[in-house]
Amino acid sequence: MADLSSTFIGIKSPNPFWLASAPPTDKEYNVRRAYDAGWGGVVWKTLGSEGPPIVNVNGPRYGVVHGADRRVLGLNNIELITDRPLEVNLREIKQVKRDYKDRALVISLMVPCEESYWKDILKAIEDTEADGVELNFGCPHGMAERGMGSAVGQVPEYIEMVTRWVKQYSRMPCIVKLTPNVTSILPPALAANRGGADAVSLINTIKSITNVDLDAFSPFPMIDGKGSHGGYCGPAVKPIALNMVAEIARHPETRSLPISGIGGVTTWRDAAEFMALGAGNVQVCTAAMTYGFKVVQEMISGLSQYLDEKQMALSDLVGRAVPNFVEWQHLNLNYVTKAQIDQDLCISCGRCYAACEDTSHQAIAMSPDRVFTVKDEECVACNLCIDVCPVEDCITMRELPKGSTDPRTGRVVGDFADWTTHPNNPAARLAAE
Amino acid sequence: MASTPYAAGIVAGRLSSSDYAAHFSDHEPPLDPHEARVAADRCYFCHDAPCITACPTSIDIPLFIRQIATGTTDAAARTIFDQNIFGGICARVCPTENLCEGACVRMEAEGNPVEIGALQRFATDPMIARGDHPFTRGAATGKRIAVVGAGPAGLACAHRLAMKGHEVTVFEAREKPGGLNEYGIASYKAPGDFAQAEIDWLLQIGGITIRTGTALGRDVTLDALLSGHDAVFLGVGLSGVNALGIPGEDAAHVQNAVDFIARLRQTTDKSTLPIGRDVVVIGGGMTAVDAAVQSKLLGALNVTIVYRRGQERMSASDVEQNHALTTGVRLITNAVPVEIRADGAVAFEYTLDGDAGSQRTGQTFALPADQVFKAIGQTLTAPAGVTPEGRKLGAGHLGGKLWAGGDCAAGGEDLTVTATAEGRDAAEAIHAALTR
């Protein structure tokens, strides 16, 4: 069994699987169950300022996108930050941390963008013995309308300012949680870095409407005939999250900034992918909300088996794929592949043919007896046939060896050459002149 | 009803009333909406799908399954009924394992096809149950067409003709319409008088008059029909039954399986049906299986199907055979009956399948029997004035005003779905001929 113990910005946990700040971490009872189930850490559900607690809706809080057999592919929520009194949360945090010293416990915070609020809340949590704080600059619903959450995360100057306050008034490690509801994730990440953040965590949820009731003509979740946008999460958002994590991980100014990866982590494999793209650990919410806390056992055993098979330490995995995440212009245009169909595996469904014939390059031939073959002279290697084929490994890509001729273009496959030097690239021509 | 399963002879009431109810309830209960969504999601929406090719009526199966998956069951039903007005009964009785499901690419992938038959039932049942007929009759053409036989071929033909605006009269020898749907299908496959409900629903198209108890050759002549109508469609089925041709065949305890099946279907209280303790069914097709299984369900203690050749040659599908075996029916293959003895027992001789066909071995055995069912095939009784081509009538247009389809006509397997396709296609051809 590989050693999964993790140290993230100085915070130790027995494994890199933390529960994200969200409904599952709202109170002592849940958090104890999570630790007992094996979670390495917990980011406590976001605390607000002292005073009258937040109010939530009393109708549905979640919308869902289902796949086959009602598999939860995406979830959105309109729940606000904790609606329990601050002193209750603080008391419970302290009790839990005392009983689970080996587990990470980070407190998520969201207060108005004024220095005194941050100073006060940081003082309030000082003696909980929590391991760190996470600044919730991410929630896109409800609190954003009040100038908090993603309203802060969308303004790099605010991120930097508040992060500075937090580092000024607290010795705790500080994670800045970023919102994906921006055109580029880099300015917010750079701002957090400038403000002195010890790490960023991302992504928070994405503004969304999961579906519309076609009888009531209202978005879901529907509250008395009306709906508000929610924050989208779960497996559906993983590709967006992976890209944002990787962009930060490869940027020269943020490449050494630790990242806690969030967004649709459902299995050990998702976690490994986040970590390979630069995340030091991962945070999970939807998978736990869908299947319960026990899912962490599969994540632990799966990541452990993978690391054993690869003979890698956990730290070897972090960032391993980052050097291979490049801009399009640096992709090798002399890497030529052709689809090939394994006739023994083919079940003759014809999906590759329909996809290619109707929507792509007419590169698959269909015989009267339903044998499907690739026309190398037409195949641009787009991969769509592989993507739609229901049989794993039935269609694969075959690389044309260097020196051979691509029957589609008639050109000989040469050495590495990318767009930066391509004759059709005006910039390349200018550089050559 | 003090009989027991052990009582010798042909007696009624071998079982408790609850046993009868359980045995003759829906053999394969319908999918619930969630099951249907899950089953529908397994469809790959194949290009030029093999299941469509395998369906004698060419239903656009991937489309109707996708319509189920997206919550539009009535649209799915319409897709089915466009091609096959008997989509309801076909969903229950089609040997799908030999047709659409046998061709499903998931068979190749994992040996487990999309449940097309069950999904078809899921789509079609609600519309029929509501009595919501999806088609409207075209403007009246003034053309009159006679259809002989109110089985699936005749009624499919009549429905399509009525849709086109023609006036159709259906002549049916029996007391009820439906043909084999009503008289020839195992009771547990279509309980609740489904066949009649489906016909009532079908007839909502209008323009169809059914004259039951009117047999061709007895009550009406073909010449009269031809002279009184613009076209005549023969869907008379196969009313003859093959004989064994062995000594003792005339004994009272020897019956035609088709008559037994028909009587079962027409009897509401199954406990009144007498059945033997030791039942022998001779044959290898679906009729043999239906008779054997239902004998067992009626409380027969020992039921044996005996087929003259190897099991792989039985025309009953694997699913049907397995159903018989799991019901407790015994299957003996490669044995031909040679005599029905005075004590009721049936003597058989073993055979060997070889290149030159089945050969007798000289080795014999006997099965005790107090009831014997013959299920070795049905034959055409050709209407006077029509010359058969071999063992059947020609298919489609027979010349002049005369068309034929269904089991009585050459081509295709003797299945409800095939008969439906042939009736439908004959209607299109008649329509084309009459409006040319």
Side-chain angles (χ1 to χ4, degrees):
Chain A
M1 284 282 283
D3 177 14
L4 296 186
S5 61
S6 157
T7 304
F8 184 76
I9 57 170
I11 303 171
K12 291 186 188 315
S13 61
N15 60 58
F17 305 112
W18 293 9
L19 282 171
S21 168
T25 61
D26 190 29
K27 55 186 188 297
E28 180 178 357
Y29 180 83
N30 305 65
V31 172
R32 283 183 185 273
R33 283 179 67 85
Y35 284 149
D36 290 343
W39 289 91
V42 155
V43 183
W44 200 276
K45 169 112 174 159
T46 306
L47 308 183
S49 301
E50 201 159 5
I54 285 294
V55 172
N56 267 302
V57 294
N58 296 296
R61 298 178 190 187
Y62 304 113
V64 68
V65 172
H66 280 137
D69 206 4
R70 291 179 68 81
R71 179 178 289 261
V72 173
L73 300 183
L75 199 66
N76 94 346
N77 83 89
I78 57 167
E79 184 172 293
L80 304 184
I81 62 174
T82 186
D83 54 13
R84 305 186 318 140
L86 179 63
E87 62 273 18
V88 174
N89 277 305
L90 294 177
R91 188 174 66 238
E92 290 185 1
I93 290 168
K94 192 167 183 174
Q95 285 165 354
V96 173
K97 184 60 195 177
R98 195 176 54 214
D99 290 348
Y100 294 87
K101 287 192 184 347
D102 66 325
R103 310 302 173 93
L105 201 168
V106 170
I107 300 175
S108 174
L109 298 173
M110 183 197 287
V111 295
C113 255
E114 291 175 36
E115 191 168 358
S116 61
Y117 281 102
W118 285 96
K119 190 176 174 182
D120 290 348
I121 190 72
L122 288 163
K123 185 164 181 57
I125 66 169
E126 206 163 48
D127 68 345
T128 58
E129 294 180 37
D131 298 298
V133 293
E134 183 180 80
L135 315 187
N136 182 342
F137 297 158
C139 283
H141 49 273
M143 302 308 289
E145 296 167 14
R146 305 175 199 179
M148 291 178 269
S150 65
V152 179
Q154 289 167 334
V155 183
E157 293 77 7
Y158 287 180
I159 295 174
E160 183 178 346
M161 174 180 76
V162 176
T163 307
R164 277 190 204 288
W165 291 338
V166 172
K167 291 309 291 180
Q168 181 184 344
Y169 294 115
S170 170
R171 287 166 303 167
M172 283 181 168
C174 168
I175 305 167
V176 173
K177 188 167 183 178
L178 301 177
T179 176
N181 298 294
V182 290
T183 45
S184 168
I185 199 66
L186 288 172
L190 289 163
N193 199 34
R194 284 194 303 273
D198 297 289
V200 288
S201 57
L202 70 158
I203 58 172
N204 201 306
T205 58
I206 303 171
K207 273 190 173 189
S208 58
I209 294 171
T210 51
N211 31 39
V212 176
D213 186 312
L214 288 177
D215 297 313
F217 298 100
S218 160
F220 275 108
M222 186 164 64
I223 308 285
D224 193 21
K226 304 217 181 301
S228 176
H229 76 257
Y232 199 39
C233 55
V237 310
K238 187 185 114 184
I240 297 164
L242 284 177
N243 177 61
M244 289 183 165
V245 164
E247 287 213 47
I248 294 170
R250 77 173 174 190
H251 191 277
E253 286 181 44
T254 49
R255 67 166 47 129
S256 59
L257 180 65
I259 301 168
S260 186
I262 312 171
V265 175
T266 309
T267 68
W268 73 267
R269 188 178 291 274
D270 300 325
E273 291 176 21
F274 269 95
M275 296 181 81
L277 282 176
N281 71 4
V282 293
Q283 297 183 32
V284 177
C285 173
T286 307
M289 291 182 72
T290 307
Y291 303 108
F293 289 145
K294 191 180 172 181
V295 282
V296 74
Q297 293 172 12
E298 166 269 312
M299 295 179 189
I300 291 168
S301 64
L303 185 60
S304 179
Q305 180 181 327
Y306 170 77
L307 292 174
D308 286 344
E309 286 168 2
K310 289 283 180 193
Q311 296 189 305
M312 281 164 60
L314 187 63
S315 56
D316 297 336
L317 174 60
V318 176
R320 186 119 179 200
V322 174
N324 294 326
F325 178 51
V326 298
E327 291 182 337
W328 191 96
Q329 61 178 334
H330 298 309
L331 297 174
N332 184 6
L333 296 173
N334 278 337
Y335 175 72
V336 183
T337 66
K338 299 290 174 187
Q340 59 182 3
I341 300 171
D342 184 332
Q343 299 299 339
D344 291 335
L345 290 177
C346 179
I347 60 172
S348 297
C349 68
R351 280 168 60 154
C352 58
Y353 176 83
C356 193
E357 193 71 9
D358 285 355
T359 71
S360 297
H361 301 86
Q362 297 77 48
I364 293 178
M366 175 181 175
S367 74
D369 57 343
R370 300 185 72 79
V371 175
F372 298 89
T373 45
V374 176
K375 295 184 258 183
D376 283 355
E377 65 277 16
E378 303 294 342
C379 178
V380 304
C382 73
N383 217 48
L384 183 62
C385 54
I386 294 178
D387 295 341
V388 302
C389 177
V391 181
E392 202 170 345
D393 296 331
C394 174
I395 311 180
T396 50
M397 282 293 170
R398 169 177 52 91
E399 183 182 353
L400 298 192
K402 201 191 298 179
S404 64
T405 302
D406 180 350
R408 181 176 70 89
T409 60
R411 283 201 279 274
V412 175
V413 178
D415 292 327
F416 180 97
D418 64 19
W419 175 244
T420 61
T421 58
H422 196 279
N424 290 16
N425 180 353
R429 284 204 303 274
L430 282 175
E433 281 165 8
Chain B
M1 298 295 175
S3 301
T4 73
Y6 305 106
I10 303 176
V11 297
R14 289 184 179 274
L15 305 172
S16 69
S17 57
S18 61
D19 282 340
Y20 284 109
H23 289 182
F24 291 93
S25 65
D26 217 336
H27 167 49
E28 286 184 48
L31 299 177
D32 70 28
H34 177 71
E35 289 172 321
R37 291 284 275 267
V38 174
D41 191 73
R42 294 184 65 237
C43 175
Y44 285 138
F45 206 74
C46 293
H47 173 76
D48 190 15
C51 54
I52 305 177
T53 310
C55 175
T57 56
S58 305
I59 293 170
D60 192 338
I61 293 162
L63 178 60
F64 93 67
I65 291 179
R66 191 172 170 84
Q67 288 165 324
I68 291 173
T70 54
T72 50
T73 308
D74 284 354
R78 177 66 196 242
T79 299
I80 294 161
F81 293 136
D82 275 342
Q83 290 296 111
N84 181 343
I85 197 65
F86 279 111
I89 195 88
C90 285
R92 290 162 165 78
V93 304
C94 264
T96 50
E97 61 279 9
N98 295 341
L99 301 170
C100 51
E101 292 181 12
C104 176
V105 298
R106 278 200 185 259
M107 283 300 289
E108 182 78 18
E110 66 211 60
N112 187 16
V114 174
E115 294 175 82
I116 299 168
L119 285 166
Q120 179 165 317
R121 180 170 173 190
F122 179 82
T124 52
D125 271 4
M127 196 178 271
I128 296 173
R130 289 199 310 270
D132 185 0
H133 191 83
F135 302 103
T136 50
R137 203 171 164 222
T141 62
K143 304 286 185 189
R144 298 177 64 239
I145 295 141
V147 168
V148 185
L155 290 178
C157 182
H159 183 268
R160 186 58 64 104
L161 289 168
M163 270 176 68
K164 308 276 189 191
H166 306 300
E167 192 72 32
V168 187
T169 307
V170 183
F171 299 88
E172 169 57 46
R174 299 225 204 200
E175 292 309 309
K176 288 189 202 173
L180 291 183
N181 291 0
E182 175 60 33
Y183 293 98
I185 289 166
S187 297
Y188 53 80
K189 288 182 183 171
D193 213 12
F194 177 79
Q196 288 306 304
E198 184 179 45
I199 290 167
D200 291 344
W201 166 87
L202 179 151
L203 292 175
Q204 286 180 48
I205 189 71
I208 302 174
T209 307
I210 301 185
R211 287 177 53 186
T212 54
T214 310
L216 183 64
R218 183 187 72 195
D219 306 305
V220 62
T221 65
L222 185 56
D223 283 346
L225 293 182
L226 286 168
S227 61
H229 295 86
D230 296 291
V232 176
F233 174 80
L234 297 175
V236 296
L238 301 172
S239 55
V241 176
N242 285 327
L244 296 171
I246 58 172
E249 186 173 358
D250 297 335
H253 74 299
V254 181
Q255 290 174 270
N256 291 323
V258 290
D259 296 335
F260 169 64
I261 291 167
R263 186 173 171 201
L264 253 158
R265 272 295 293 278
Q266 301 307 315
T267 305
T268 308
D269 181 1
K270 309 294 189 216
S271 71
T272 63
L273 285 169
I275 191 74
R277 182 184 68 184
D278 302 305
V279 175
V280 172
V281 181
I282 298 165
M286 285 218 276
T287 302
V289 169
D290 281 357
V293 167
Q294 294 193 108
S295 297
K296 194 75 191 166
L297 298 181
L298 283 175
L301 194 60
N302 301 303
V303 179
T304 312
I305 292 176
V306 185
Y307 176 58
R308 66 194 169 97
R309 307 190 74 169
Q311 190 174 352
E312 70 285 353
R313 304 187 74 114
M314 288 177 68
S315 63
S317 68
D318 289 349
V319 169
E320 295 280 342
Q321 290 180 38
N322 286 334
H323 181 218
L325 294 172
T326 53
T327 309
V329 171
R330 182 184 176 199
L331 179 60
I332 296 176
T333 56
N334 283 109
V336 288
V338 292
E339 183 189 5
I340 304 207
R341 294 180 182 163
D343 65 355
V346 188
F348 292 91
E349 181 176 349
Y350 284 115
T351 65
L352 279 172
D353 286 344
D355 295 338
S358 181
Q359 290 174 5
R360 298 196 177 218
T361 61
Q363 290 175 304
T364 60
F365 65 98
L367 293 175
D370 40 31
Q371 194 161 24
V372 179
F373 292 120
K374 297 185 285 185
I376 56 170
Q378 286 102 263
T379 54
L380 173 71
T381 308
V386 188
T387 311
E389 292 178 10
R391 297 173 56 238
K392 291 200 172 186
L393 303 181
H397 193 198
L398 301 183
K401 292 182 179 177
L402 197 57
W403 274 263
D407 288 359
C408 69
E413 289 189 75
D414 293 347
L415 298 171
T416 295
V417 65
T418 308
T420 303
E422 290 172 3
R424 175 200 70 193
D425 294 346
E428 292 288 350
I430 292 168
H431 174 72
L434 296 185
T435 55
R436 191 177 293 138

